[in-house]
Amino acid sequence: MSRRPKLGLVLGSGGLRGLAHVGVLSVLEENGIEVDLVAGCSIGSLIGVLICAGYDSDTIMKLAKGLGRGSWLEFVVHKKGFIGTENIYKIVTMLTKGRKIEELSKPFAAVATDLATGREHVFRDGNSAAAVCASVAIPGIFVPYECDGRQLVDGAIVNPTPVSVARDMGADVIVAVDLAAVSSIGEVKTVFDVILRSLDIMEKGLFSYQRLINDCDILIQPELSSCAVTDFKKIEECYEVGRDAAWEMLPNLLDILDNYSDK
């Protein structure tokens, strides 16, 4: 007898455009599509850990609106960056109730980059908050996160939409939400915009979108060109764009799930 396929949700990097991930999740929920595991990078790791801790899309959006910029960002004096991750650590610890990754409701993985080796570092167990802090630590903006003797930064440098990680976790069907395909973020006004836009360009230069398309079953690429990665005022817009993109791909996903056969 065939079994229900294990559905992996892959949430890519993209700053505050990551609220599009929540829009995608809401469409899956409305259609009774259960996510079995999540692999996330950068903002995708933050959204992903909340999903795996048991939060639904409505609650995640309420948290996003209720916790403003000051709640998350801690400005520090440090030679390796000017934003620390202590506030993020505290919030994630509180929201996950201090659970380790292996204690969450669903399997979860977060991708970071090891500064010493330049290689991908994947968290699949251990401290949930530490995994998120490492994954979101944008180089040049955040102080690198130190963990087990390693200096770790944003996973977007090496694997911005970690489909390969979800496949390694045992996903049969993968829905990947890629936010790095945005063609423009509008006017570049701040050092944040300069660094984040540079990361976007680097990801496009290094990452093979054809490989991404081949490796996942459903690729969702929300049209977020009007949403800057640092604009807290565009949270609702990013969410709605994510919903629109998910609805567009929903028939294909339902067809895959309906016709899945265990090989």
Side-chain angles (χ1 to χ4, degrees):
M1 294 180 63
S2 62
R3 60 180 174 84
R4 183 180 77 80
K6 185 179 292 186
L7 181 64
L9 181 61
V10 176
L11 304 178
S13 62
L16 290 176
R17 295 193 302 242
L19 272 298
H21 293 321
V22 189
V24 171
L25 176 65
S26 71
V27 172
L28 298 179
E29 291 171 345
E30 289 170 19
N31 288 275
I33 300 173
E34 182 179 353
V35 173
D36 295 296
L37 60 90
V38 182
C41 178
S42 198
I43 186 65
S45 73
L46 176 56
I47 302 298
V49 82
L50 296 180
I51 294 171
C52 293
Y55 292 90
D56 62 16
S57 59
D58 185 57
T59 304
I60 295 173
M61 278 303 291
K62 288 177 181 177
L63 288 169
K65 294 176 181 178
L67 295 171
R69 186 192 305 268
S71 300
W72 296 99
L73 303 183
E74 171 204 10
F75 289 88
V76 297
V77 178
H78 196 287
K79 61 184 178 181
K80 295 180 182 179
F82 51 90
I83 296 180
T85 52
E86 184 176 348
N87 287 359
I88 296 172
Y89 187 95
K90 290 178 180 177
I91 292 173
V92 174
T93 298
M94 177 187 68
L95 293 176
T96 59
K97 300 179 181 178
R99 284 176 286 173
K100 295 181 179 179
I101 291 174
E102 60 268 32
E103 296 170 339
L104 298 174
S105 303
K106 302 176 187 290
F108 168 70
V111 176
T113 303
D114 187 326
L115 271 181
T117 65
R119 295 176 181 171
E120 174 183 86
H121 182 85
V122 180
F123 290 86
R124 289 185 56 178
D125 54 28
N127 190 311
S128 299
V132 173
C133 287
S135 188
V136 304
I138 302 165
I141 295 178
F142 283 83
V143 178
Y145 190 79
E146 295 193 11
C147 182
D148 297 330
R150 297 182 177 91
Q151 292 191 80
L152 302 172
V153 294
D154 196 330
I157 298 173
V158 291
N159 199 352
T161 309
V163 171
S164 57
V165 175
R167 194 68 75 185
D168 289 343
M169 294 169 72
D172 299 309
V173 174
I174 293 179
V175 175
V177 187
D178 169 57
L179 308 180
V182 177
S183 58
S184 173
I185 61 165
E187 187 179 356
V188 175
K189 299 179 180 179
T190 69
V191 65
F192 289 94
D193 294 334
V194 171
I195 294 174
L196 291 167
R197 183 56 178 158
S198 298
L199 281 174
D200 273 349
I201 294 169
M202 181 194 70
E203 289 167 23
K204 289 178 183 178
L206 295 176
F207 202 67
S208 167
Y209 279 95
Q210 188 58 50
R211 188 186 71 195
L212 178 60
I213 291 169
N214 292 338
D215 288 350
C216 69
D217 299 279
I218 297 293
L219 178 61
I220 299 176
Q221 295 179 302
E223 176 45 61
L224 293 161
S225 57
S226 65
C227 300
V229 292
T230 57
D231 193 348
F232 275 80
K233 296 178 182 178
K234 294 292 185 75
I235 285 175
E236 189 68 41
E237 181 178 340
C238 291
Y239 171 81
E240 292 297 337
V241 171
R243 281 182 58 82
D244 291 343
W247 277 113
E248 184 177 344
M249 299 302 297
L250 182 64
N252 294 341
L253 175 58
L254 291 174
D255 184 63
I256 290 171
L257 296 176
D258 287 345
N259 294 287
Y260 178 81
S261 60
D262 191 13
K263 298 179 180 178

